[in-house]
Amino acid sequence: MGFMKTIVRNVENKDNKEAIREAAGLLREGKLVAFPTETVYGLGGSGWMEEAASRIYEAKGRPSDNPLILHIGSMEMIDEIASCVPGPAKKAMDAFWPGPLTVILPKSDKVPYRVTGGLDSVAVRMPSHPAALALLREAGVPVAAPSANTSGRPSPTKAEHVVEDLDGKIPMVLDGGKVEVGVESTIVDFTGEVPVILRPGKITKDELEKALSTEVLMSTLSVKEDTVPRAPGMKYKHYAPKAQLVLILGEDREKVAEEITKRVRDCREQGMKTGVIATEETMGGYDADEVISVGSRSHMETVTANLYDVLREFDHRDVDVIFSEGFEGEEYEEAVMNRLVKAAGHQMIRV
Ligand code: TXA
Ligand code: MG
């Protein structure tokens, strides 16, 4: 792919019509635009065009059998994308759209297999970020968009992260500042008998069950290697920091802190540069080379918002080993741990 100049346009204020119009024009021509959503930045291309999907896979360095999510700005478009919308899916869309929920539905003939990675189902989401909605409505086409990172890196939560990964590979980045949620959308598969959460996110199992008045299952396939994955994204190597990352889990916070302190000391004695992913509550208690707080335990939304930024930051600081506190619970904790466990390559110690 030849080098192209990447233009960054600010869309943080309301006065962004010109940038949105230009970006929508690029999308309609089959070109790529990175744009903010409330979860993470997306790398968008027209959902009707095979060549746009090919460009996305190429820019990200992503295997082309890992399917893309189609983003829409209005409800009417769902009938062009899905061959049918089961009742529970309709309820979920009504309850959580626009917002950080992706639904898996049977695909229509119009959606290219290049977008769905050869599957007969399709992932759809209506984001709530005002610039994303404005872009989707102006473009008038569904926009296929994975997270706008190089495959294998943490998802981008700031426009700077997108530029770090994709500068020179795409024509435009819309800069909407730091995203709100910080982890990717909750994915729910509605193609089977019972709705199944394929990826945890801000919208929890509990919230889904309340809205649907039915049982929702949590897929455990993201942690088991021996079964055929249902979200094809699960089988790929996930983000791993340059340093070895080890999670220290336990209900007793003091014990966790003691264990981290002990391990940091051991590693430093061996001449290693150490890092700790701490929280506001514990940050002052560590004596590692690099200590970064990921947020506050009593405001878990600060942890989801900062997580990927902190992981990228540790790559810049050149540490040899990182110890992280774990997060246990059934709400945001589920989404945070899902990402941390993958980043740690399942290296966990329970105290
Ligand atoms: O929050 C988000 O969902 C962000 C923003 C940009 O909207 N997008 C995002 O896309 O996280 P991506 O491509 O990084 O992750 C999409 C996930 C992958 O794990 C993929 O395998 C799964 O969705 N997926 C897509 N289509 C699917 C399908 N038909 N069946 C099962 N899983 C699917
Ligand atoms: Mg991704």
Side-chain angles (χ1 to χ4, degrees):
M1 186 177 3
F3 183 87
M4 64 175 91
K5 177 140 182 52
T6 302
I7 296 167
V8 181
R9 301 288 299 264
N10 193 287
V11 291
E12 271 171 287
N13 52 25
K14 287 258 176 312
D15 196 24
N16 58 23
K17 288 223 169 60
E18 195 49 46
I20 298 282
R21 213 174 294 135
E22 249 179 76
L26 287 170
L27 289 174
R28 278 193 304 267
E29 284 170 27
K31 308 254 171 65
L32 305 189
V33 174
F35 62 98
T37 81
E38 69 280 21
T39 56
V40 299
Y41 276 75
L43 175 59
S46 170
W48 295 146
M49 295 164 83
E50 295 209 0
E51 77 248 42
S54 300
R55 285 190 173 125
I56 290 174
Y57 291 120
E58 190 180 355
K60 274 183 70 83
R62 171 170 172 149
S64 59
D65 62 341
N66 190 0
L68 307 173
I69 296 173
L70 287 183
H71 294 66
I72 58 175
S74 74
M75 264 314 190
E76 295 88 75
M77 211 164 248
I78 197 79
D79 296 323
E80 284 185 73
I81 292 172
S83 64
C84 77
V85 181
K90 178 82 179 63
K91 271 195 193 165
M93 285 155 32
D94 287 343
F96 300 107
W97 279 5
L101 175 77
T102 295
V103 300
I104 309 281
L105 301 170
K107 89 177 209 28
S108 73
D109 293 337
K110 199 169 168 182
V111 177
Y113 277 111
R114 189 96 189 122
V115 166
T116 67
L119 296 175
D120 287 315
S121 59
V122 61
V124 195
R125 159 165 131 80
M126 188 189 294
S128 64
H129 192 292
L133 277 177
L135 176 67
L136 293 167
R137 286 169 188 165
E138 181 75 26
V141 294
V143 172
S147 48
N149 51 289
T150 300
S151 195
R153 297 220 68 210
S155 295
T157 54
K158 295 174 178 169
E160 291 89 313
H161 298 160
V162 179
V163 172
E164 215 171 75
D165 286 8
L166 300 178
D167 192 26
K169 294 186 172 170
I170 58 173
M172 188 174 282
V173 178
L174 297 181
D175 181 353
K178 188 179 172 183
V179 301
E180 183 197 324
V181 178
V183 293
E184 303 87 343
S185 60
T186 306
I187 303 181
V188 185
D189 186 353
F190 287 99
T191 62
E193 293 275 290
V194 183
V196 181
I197 298 175
L198 302 183
R199 179 175 72 186
K202 182 184 181 202
I203 294 168
T204 63
K205 177 171 174 323
D206 201 46
E207 286 176 294
L208 281 159
E209 287 183 332
K210 285 209 180 90
L212 305 182
S213 341
T214 167
E215 189 192 12
V216 175
L217 300 179
M218 177 70 82
S219 168
T220 51
L221 295 179
S222 58
V223 285
K224 274 190 214 147
E225 306 275 298
D226 57 344
T227 20
V228 178
R230 286 186 64 186
M234 291 169 176
K235 75 179 181 214
Y236 298 104
K237 187 169 171 290
H238 277 271
Y239 166 71
K242 288 186 202 152
Q244 182 190 6
L245 172 65
V246 182
L247 305 185
I248 311 293
L249 313 177
E251 272 166 31
D252 185 335
R253 301 248 166 280
E254 262 172 52
K255 266 198 185 160
V256 170
E258 274 167 31
E259 183 67 23
I260 292 178
T261 302
K262 182 177 139 293
R263 284 173 182 267
V264 163
R265 201 187 308 122
D266 290 350
C267 288
R268 292 183 93 176
E269 272 167 19
Q270 291 170 42
M272 293 167 107
K273 186 170 174 188
T274 55
V276 172
I277 299 179
T279 49
E280 291 303 306
E281 289 82 356
T282 57
M283 156 112 202
Y286 294 113
D287 184 30
D289 298 297
E290 303 284 347
V291 181
I292 306 181
S293 165
V294 66
S296 163
R297 279 184 189 277
S298 48
H299 299 280
M300 277 302 291
E301 70 281 4
T302 60
V303 176
T304 59
N306 295 328
L307 182 67
Y308 286 134
D309 195 27
V310 168
L311 291 173
R312 277 183 186 254
E313 183 55 34
F314 268 114
D315 279 348
H316 293 303
R317 297 208 190 171
D318 262 336
V319 294
D320 300 303
V321 59
I322 309 164
F323 296 101
S324 177
E325 298 174 7
F327 296 87
E328 278 160 284
E330 289 184 345
E331 295 181 0
Y332 287 44
E333 292 87 353
E334 195 92 53
V336 169
M337 279 303 276
N338 174 273
R339 276 69 175 186
L340 269 178
V341 167
K342 284 178 189 159
H346 298 264
Q347 279 206 85
M348 296 177 272
I349 289 152
R350 189 169 286 280
V351 294

